[in-house]
Structures are given as structure tokens and as C-alpha cells.
Amino acid sequence: MIKCLVGLMQADSGVIRIKDEDIEVLGRAELDLLRTNIGFLFQGSALYDSMTVRENLEFPLRRHKEKLKMKEDNETLVLEALKNVGLEHTVDLMPSELSGGMQRRVALARALILKPEIILYDEPTTGLDPITSKEIIQLTRNIQDTYNTSSLIITHDVDCARVISNRMILLVDGINYIEGSFDELVRSQDPKVKAFFKN
Amino acid sequence: MENNIWYKTRAFFEEAGGIVIFTGRFFSEVFKPPFEFKELLRQCYQMGNKSLLLVGVTGFILGLVFTLQSRPTLMEFGAESWMPSMVSISIVREIGSVIIALICAGKIGSGIGAELGSMRVTEQIDAMEVSGTNPFKYLVVTRIVATTLMLPLLVLIGDAIALFGSAIIENLKGEVSFLLYFNQVFDALTFADLIPATIKTFFFGFAIGLVGCYKGYYCSKGTMGVGEASNSAVVYTSMLLFVIDFIAVFVADIFNG
């Protein structure tokens, strides 16, 4: 679903509208411009492994800095994005030199570099140890406040959902099964919902 | 059994159709701005400069072995003086370009297949797409243009080194000076030998880049898929090189009358 939202996959049916634009009918240039308004954090971080952290963060700026009328130079934008995830010191390192949690944070910095209004998170805590997961959850929360972004998070992590979400949708077999706040869903008597929150 | 044949035939035509569509997309993107010159230069350096040693060694050994193997037969007919002409025409027209293209298919084609394949399975290509960069233009167009431009240069260098290797053997075994050897080489070679052979290498380079990129770009999920992309890039390119070579020789023959 999350890949359909940014046009990486085509939806089988229905219409996807982001900021009043139907993404299915947009041309390449318009879609690229719309994508600059959407940050995307991939499950496996998806950092470009042949580039340094700096080059990873500069990559989205190459084509869109002028269009978005960003006045700061690349160095300032890169360092600012890295500072927001607490990793300024990694700017010249290669992704392979970073731990899993650091890679996820650099990926988040890359998703933020164009200052998007919406951020999509694909399993942000998968594959991370509990402490790093908590750090990422807290970071996500801070970013929401600092950048004033809307976030859509796909997660199986109940802790993550509890801390971050204002509204939750529980999907069962790909169908929107139930919707509400975390507290509403926790109190639900539906057996499938109860099973999800049991532990 | 019947099902298996049907399945393989269908898979072959699907693959061929996929490559045709991919080629069409390449031509529709290659002349359209924005152009990725910096990445193109980087790829030219990666493919050209970093293949030079392999091409040089291959060319040198090719010249040595070819001359050593041909000498006894030519001596039997008292035709050693034909050695420079024979070696130069064989290498420039056919053997040099085909062998160096095959070597490059192994090195460059498999490298592209593996690199793009691993970028696909680790979602790096998707990450490029969502950052508003056209990954086809950045990754595929630059690589195909780079191989198309670099292969002719590599073949020219490889051919020259092969002739140098041949001259060394002639100098050591037949006491032929380098000056005399290369005088005979340039007497024997004409533009009619050089031009079709060089044009052919642009197509070789294009095929190496195209198949490597196609296999990597549409790599199936998982590490096994990356291995398969890399492996099949070499196999398909090698077959395609012989087909292109046959067509090129056939067309050149028509023009030569």
C-alpha cells in the first residue's frame, strides 16, 4: 500500500489523491515534484551503498533544490538534517561503516532533507534491537514535532504505534478491519483486535 | 515435456519482448534532459580505465599466442613474411574485437548486472525514484552510453597491444625489427578493415550495457536473483555478441562486394 502512495506500484483499483493530485494521472515531472513533498523511510534503510553519508543526503538535492527555492547551501542542509538525527559525525562515512540503527537514522535524515510535508515509514523499527527501536520511535516523534509533518507508519510494533500514532488502522488480510485511537483499539472486544494486543 | 517446451518458448519470447521494450525506453530517455554528465563520466572511468589492465593483458597474450601458433604452419609454406599482414588483419577485423568484447561482457556486463540487481533488491532504486530522480536515466542510460563509448576504445587499445605482442615474438623468433613489422602491418591494413570493425564494437558495447542493465534493473527479489542477473547478463551478452558479429560481417561483406 505504502508503495502505491508514491507511485512505486500501481493500485489494482481505486484512486489515490495526495494534496489534491491523483497520482495515477500525473506525468513523470509532476510526480517527481509531488514526491519532493513526501519523505519515505524504507524498511532496510535503502542507503546508496556506493556513496558516503554526505552524498546520500545530497542526492535528493541535486535536481530539486532550485525548484523548491532552498537558499541554504548543500553543506548546511546536510549537516542540519544529520544534526536532527544526532549523527553529524558520520558525514564522511560509508553506509557499511554504520550500525543498523545509525543507517536507519541516516535514511531518516535523507527522507527529511527536502523538508517534506508527509513522511511515510515502512516498518521503521524492524530488525533493530529494543533500545535502538525506542530511539528511532522517539526520533520519529521529535521529527513530527520539529518539522510539523504528517506521518503514515506501517508497523507491527505495538510500542511504536502506541507512542507515535494519533489514529490507527488495523489491517487484516489487506482489508481495513478497524480504525481508531490506540486506546480505543486496546479496549476493543473484537477477538482479532484483542489477539493483536494480547502481549 | 510438452508443457516444459511451451513454458521455455514463452519465457524466451517474453524476455526478448522485455529487452525490446527496455531498448525503446533507453532511446526515449537518452536525448531527453536533464542529462547526467557527471555520472556518465564516472561510469566511463569505471568501465574504461578499470578494464584497461585486463584488456591489455588479454590483448598481449592474444598476440603472443596467435603468432606462436601460426609461425610453424607459415614456415612450412615459406610464408613467414606474411605473418604481420595475417596477424594484423585477423586481429583488427575479427579476433581482437570479439575476444575483448567477450572479456568485457564478463567483467563489465556481470558487474552492471550484479550492481543494479543488488540495488534493486535492497530498494536503492526505489529510494532514487521516491527522491524525485529518474533511476532509469541515472543508472541505466549512463551505463549503456558509457559501455557504448568505452568498448571501441578498449578494443583499439587491445588490438594495438596484441600487435605489439605479436611483434615481440616475430622480433625474438624471426629477427624481424619492430619498424619492419609495423610497416608491413600498416601496408596490409586498410580503412575497409578498420572502419567496419570499429563500428561493430559500438554495437558490442551497446549490447553489453543493455543486457547487463536489463538483467540487473529487473532482478527478482533476493540474493539468488542478483547471482542470476549477473550470470545471465554474461550468458545472454556473449550469445548476442556472436549474433551481432555475424550480422556485422555479413553487412560488411555486402558493402565490400
Side-chain angles (χ1 to χ4, degrees), chain A residues 163-185:
Chain A
V163 176
I164 301 172
S165 69
N166 304 111
R167 192 160 67 100
M168 281 176 68
I169 296 172
L170 197 65
L171 297 176
V172 177
D173 299 327
I175 305 292
N176 180 351
Y177 188 72
I178 191 167
E179 198 174 329
S181 70
F182 184 85
D183 292 334
E184 284 166 359
L185 263 60

mmCIF file of all heavy atoms in Angstrom, chain A residues 163-185:
data_model
loop_
_atom_site.group_PDB
_atom_site.id
_atom_site.type_symbol
_atom_site.label_atom_id
_atom_site.label_comp_id
_atom_site.label_asym_id
_atom_site.label_seq_id
_atom_site.Cartn_x
_atom_site.Cartn_y
_atom_site.Cartn_z
ATOM 1 N N VAL A 163 3.257 4.953 20.963
ATOM 2 C CA VAL A 163 3.941 6.228 21.217
ATOM 3 C C VAL A 163 3.628 7.259 20.134
ATOM 4 O O VAL A 163 3.417 8.430 20.431
ATOM 5 C CB VAL A 163 5.476 6.003 21.323
ATOM 6 C CG1 VAL A 163 6.205 7.332 21.477
ATOM 7 C CG2 VAL A 163 5.789 5.081 22.480
ATOM 8 N N ILE A 164 3.603 6.814 18.875
ATOM 9 C CA ILE A 164 3.553 7.785 17.781
ATOM 10 C C ILE A 164 2.144 8.121 17.304
ATOM 11 O O ILE A 164 1.851 9.276 17.005
ATOM 12 C CB ILE A 164 4.374 7.268 16.568
ATOM 13 C CG1 ILE A 164 5.831 7.046 16.987
ATOM 14 C CG2 ILE A 164 4.327 8.262 15.417
ATOM 15 C CD1 ILE A 164 6.664 6.365 15.956
ATOM 16 N N SER A 165 1.244 7.111 17.293
ATOM 17 C CA SER A 165 0.040 7.299 16.474
ATOM 18 C C SER A 165 -1.028 8.176 17.131
ATOM 19 O O SER A 165 -1.218 8.159 18.343
ATOM 20 C CB SER A 165 -0.579 5.939 16.148
ATOM 21 O OG SER A 165 -1.106 5.375 17.310
ATOM 22 N N ASN A 166 -1.723 8.941 16.293
ATOM 23 C CA ASN A 166 -2.939 9.622 16.718
ATOM 24 C C ASN A 166 -4.138 8.780 16.308
ATOM 25 O O ASN A 166 -5.156 8.758 16.970
ATOM 26 C CB ASN A 166 -3.062 10.991 16.046
ATOM 27 C CG ASN A 166 -1.853 11.848 16.314
ATOM 28 O OD1 ASN A 166 -1.064 12.119 15.416
ATOM 29 N ND2 ASN A 166 -1.667 12.226 17.564
ATOM 30 N N ARG A 167 -3.960 8.108 15.170
ATOM 31 C CA ARG A 167 -5.050 7.300 14.636
ATOM 32 C C ARG A 167 -4.451 6.014 14.070
ATOM 33 O O ARG A 167 -3.410 6.058 13.402
ATOM 34 C CB ARG A 167 -5.753 8.068 13.516
ATOM 35 C CG ARG A 167 -7.067 7.457 13.086
ATOM 36 C CD ARG A 167 -7.899 8.504 12.363
ATOM 37 N NE ARG A 167 -7.274 8.881 11.101
ATOM 38 C CZ ARG A 167 -7.650 8.403 9.919
ATOM 39 N NH1 ARG A 167 -8.641 7.546 9.832
ATOM 40 N NH2 ARG A 167 -7.067 8.810 8.830
ATOM 41 N N MET A 168 -5.071 4.901 14.356
ATOM 42 C CA MET A 168 -4.543 3.611 13.881
ATOM 43 C C MET A 168 -5.561 2.898 13.001
ATOM 44 O O MET A 168 -6.765 3.009 13.239
ATOM 45 C CB MET A 168 -4.261 2.683 15.067
ATOM 46 C CG MET A 168 -2.973 2.971 15.784
ATOM 47 S SD MET A 168 -2.822 1.886 17.212
ATOM 48 C CE MET A 168 -2.624 0.290 16.465
ATOM 49 N N ILE A 169 -5.067 2.202 12.015
ATOM 50 C CA ILE A 169 -5.932 1.330 11.212
ATOM 51 C C ILE A 169 -5.328 -0.065 11.309
ATOM 52 O O ILE A 169 -4.132 -0.231 11.058
ATOM 53 C CB ILE A 169 -5.978 1.781 9.740
ATOM 54 C CG1 ILE A 169 -6.611 3.171 9.627
ATOM 55 C CG2 ILE A 169 -6.736 0.778 8.885
ATOM 56 C CD1 ILE A 169 -6.535 3.780 8.241
ATOM 57 N N LEU A 170 -6.145 -1.021 11.693
ATOM 58 C CA LEU A 170 -5.656 -2.395 11.759
ATOM 59 C C LEU A 170 -6.052 -3.102 10.467
ATOM 60 O O LEU A 170 -7.231 -3.149 10.115
ATOM 61 C CB LEU A 170 -6.290 -3.093 12.968
ATOM 62 C CG LEU A 170 -5.619 -4.375 13.423
ATOM 63 C CD1 LEU A 170 -4.218 -4.111 13.948
ATOM 64 C CD2 LEU A 170 -6.458 -5.028 14.524
ATOM 65 N N LEU A 171 -5.050 -3.596 9.754
ATOM 66 C CA LEU A 171 -5.334 -4.306 8.502
ATOM 67 C C LEU A 171 -5.363 -5.802 8.773
ATOM 68 O O LEU A 171 -4.466 -6.333 9.427
ATOM 69 C CB LEU A 171 -4.258 -4.004 7.455
ATOM 70 C CG LEU A 171 -4.116 -2.559 6.979
ATOM 71 C CD1 LEU A 171 -2.935 -2.438 6.026
ATOM 72 C CD2 LEU A 171 -5.381 -2.085 6.297
ATOM 73 N N VAL A 172 -6.386 -6.448 8.267
ATOM 74 C CA VAL A 172 -6.440 -7.906 8.357
ATOM 75 C C VAL A 172 -6.646 -8.427 6.928
ATOM 76 O O VAL A 172 -7.598 -8.026 6.265
ATOM 77 C CB VAL A 172 -7.581 -8.386 9.277
ATOM 78 C CG1 VAL A 172 -7.661 -9.911 9.291
ATOM 79 C CG2 VAL A 172 -7.375 -7.874 10.696
ATOM 80 N N ASP A 173 -5.740 -9.271 6.484
ATOM 81 C CA ASP A 173 -5.752 -9.774 5.098
ATOM 82 C C ASP A 173 -5.845 -8.626 4.092
ATOM 83 O O ASP A 173 -6.593 -8.698 3.099
ATOM 84 C CB ASP A 173 -6.906 -10.762 4.868
ATOM 85 C CG ASP A 173 -6.794 -11.978 5.773
ATOM 86 O OD1 ASP A 173 -5.642 -12.359 6.059
ATOM 87 O OD2 ASP A 173 -7.832 -12.512 6.203
ATOM 88 N N GLY A 174 -5.139 -7.559 4.351
ATOM 89 C CA GLY A 174 -5.095 -6.430 3.422
ATOM 90 C C GLY A 174 -6.328 -5.545 3.437
ATOM 91 O O GLY A 174 -6.434 -4.623 2.636
ATOM 92 N N ILE A 175 -7.259 -5.833 4.357
ATOM 93 C CA ILE A 175 -8.503 -5.047 4.417
ATOM 94 C C ILE A 175 -8.486 -4.174 5.664
ATOM 95 O O ILE A 175 -8.023 -4.606 6.725
ATOM 96 C CB ILE A 175 -9.741 -6.004 4.484
ATOM 97 C CG1 ILE A 175 -9.729 -6.998 3.320
ATOM 98 C CG2 ILE A 175 -11.046 -5.224 4.551
ATOM 99 C CD1 ILE A 175 -9.957 -6.389 1.963
ATOM 100 N N ASN A 176 -9.013 -2.940 5.537
ATOM 101 C CA ASN A 176 -9.147 -2.037 6.667
ATOM 102 C C ASN A 176 -10.154 -2.649 7.651
ATOM 103 O O ASN A 176 -11.357 -2.585 7.433
ATOM 104 C CB ASN A 176 -9.631 -0.680 6.130
ATOM 105 C CG ASN A 176 -9.792 0.337 7.229
ATOM 106 O OD1 ASN A 176 -9.701 0.009 8.402
ATOM 107 N ND2 ASN A 176 -10.025 1.580 6.838
ATOM 108 N N TYR A 177 -9.649 -3.246 8.738
ATOM 109 C CA TYR A 177 -10.506 -4.030 9.620
ATOM 110 C C TYR A 177 -11.151 -3.168 10.694
ATOM 111 O O TYR A 177 -12.342 -3.258 10.961
ATOM 112 C CB TYR A 177 -9.679 -5.152 10.248
ATOM 113 C CG TYR A 177 -10.474 -6.146 11.036
ATOM 114 C CD1 TYR A 177 -11.303 -7.068 10.403
ATOM 115 C CD2 TYR A 177 -10.415 -6.162 12.429
ATOM 116 C CE1 TYR A 177 -12.042 -7.985 11.119
ATOM 117 C CE2 TYR A 177 -11.156 -7.078 13.159
ATOM 118 C CZ TYR A 177 -11.967 -7.980 12.499
ATOM 119 O OH TYR A 177 -12.697 -8.885 13.223
ATOM 120 N N ILE A 178 -10.322 -2.325 11.302
ATOM 121 C CA ILE A 178 -10.861 -1.451 12.357
ATOM 122 C C ILE A 178 -9.999 -0.189 12.453
ATOM 123 O O ILE A 178 -8.812 -0.221 12.122
ATOM 124 C CB ILE A 178 -10.938 -2.202 13.710
ATOM 125 C CG1 ILE A 178 -11.731 -1.402 14.738
ATOM 126 C CG2 ILE A 178 -9.558 -2.495 14.260
ATOM 127 C CD1 ILE A 178 -12.113 -2.225 15.966
ATOM 128 N N GLU A 179 -10.617 0.883 12.897
ATOM 129 C CA GLU A 179 -9.936 2.168 12.897
ATOM 130 C C GLU A 179 -10.228 2.898 14.210
ATOM 131 O O GLU A 179 -11.333 2.780 14.738
ATOM 132 C CB GLU A 179 -10.502 2.965 11.718
ATOM 133 C CG GLU A 179 -9.669 4.123 11.285
ATOM 134 C CD GLU A 179 -10.239 4.774 10.015
ATOM 135 O OE1 GLU A 179 -10.849 4.063 9.193
ATOM 136 O OE2 GLU A 179 -10.059 5.984 9.888
ATOM 137 N N GLY A 180 -9.244 3.623 14.741
ATOM 138 C CA GLY A 180 -9.492 4.392 15.966
ATOM 139 C C GLY A 180 -8.192 4.788 16.624
ATOM 140 O O GLY A 180 -7.105 4.547 16.071
ATOM 141 N N SER A 181 -8.301 5.391 17.805
ATOM 142 C CA SER A 181 -7.070 5.741 18.523
ATOM 143 C C SER A 181 -6.512 4.473 19.165
ATOM 144 O O SER A 181 -7.192 3.445 19.232
ATOM 145 C CB SER A 181 -7.380 6.776 19.599
ATOM 146 O OG SER A 181 -8.133 6.158 20.618
ATOM 147 N N PHE A 182 -5.270 4.550 19.653
ATOM 148 C CA PHE A 182 -4.645 3.379 20.265
ATOM 149 C C PHE A 182 -5.501 2.870 21.435
ATOM 150 O O PHE A 182 -5.787 1.669 21.544
ATOM 151 C CB PHE A 182 -3.229 3.747 20.745
ATOM 152 C CG PHE A 182 -2.466 2.581 21.305
ATOM 153 C CD1 PHE A 182 -1.758 1.726 20.474
ATOM 154 C CD2 PHE A 182 -2.476 2.324 22.672
ATOM 155 C CE1 PHE A 182 -1.063 0.639 21.002
ATOM 156 C CE2 PHE A 182 -1.790 1.237 23.198
ATOM 157 C CZ PHE A 182 -1.079 0.394 22.351
ATOM 158 N N ASP A 183 -5.928 3.790 22.285
ATOM 159 C CA ASP A 183 -6.714 3.399 23.465
ATOM 160 C C ASP A 183 -8.037 2.740 23.079
ATOM 161 O O ASP A 183 -8.447 1.753 23.693
ATOM 162 C CB ASP A 183 -6.983 4.625 24.351
ATOM 163 C CG ASP A 183 -5.705 5.129 24.977
ATOM 164 O OD1 ASP A 183 -4.776 4.307 25.138
ATOM 165 O OD2 ASP A 183 -5.611 6.335 25.275
ATOM 166 N N GLU A 184 -8.670 3.270 22.050
ATOM 167 C CA GLU A 184 -9.933 2.675 21.587
ATOM 168 C C GLU A 184 -9.717 1.244 21.108
ATOM 169 O O GLU A 184 -10.492 0.342 21.417
ATOM 170 C CB GLU A 184 -10.532 3.511 20.442
ATOM 171 C CG GLU A 184 -11.185 4.800 20.897
ATOM 172 C CD GLU A 184 -11.462 5.760 19.750
ATOM 173 O OE1 GLU A 184 -11.118 5.429 18.588
ATOM 174 O OE2 GLU A 184 -11.997 6.826 20.016
ATOM 175 N N LEU A 185 -8.641 1.055 20.368
ATOM 176 C CA LEU A 185 -8.380 -0.285 19.826
ATOM 177 C C LEU A 185 -7.984 -1.265 20.930
ATOM 178 O O LEU A 185 -8.368 -2.437 20.891
ATOM 179 C CB LEU A 185 -7.292 -0.229 18.741
ATOM 180 C CG LEU A 185 -7.806 -0.172 17.299
ATOM 181 C CD1 LEU A 185 -8.679 1.047 17.061
ATOM 182 C CD2 LEU A 185 -6.673 -0.197 16.309
#
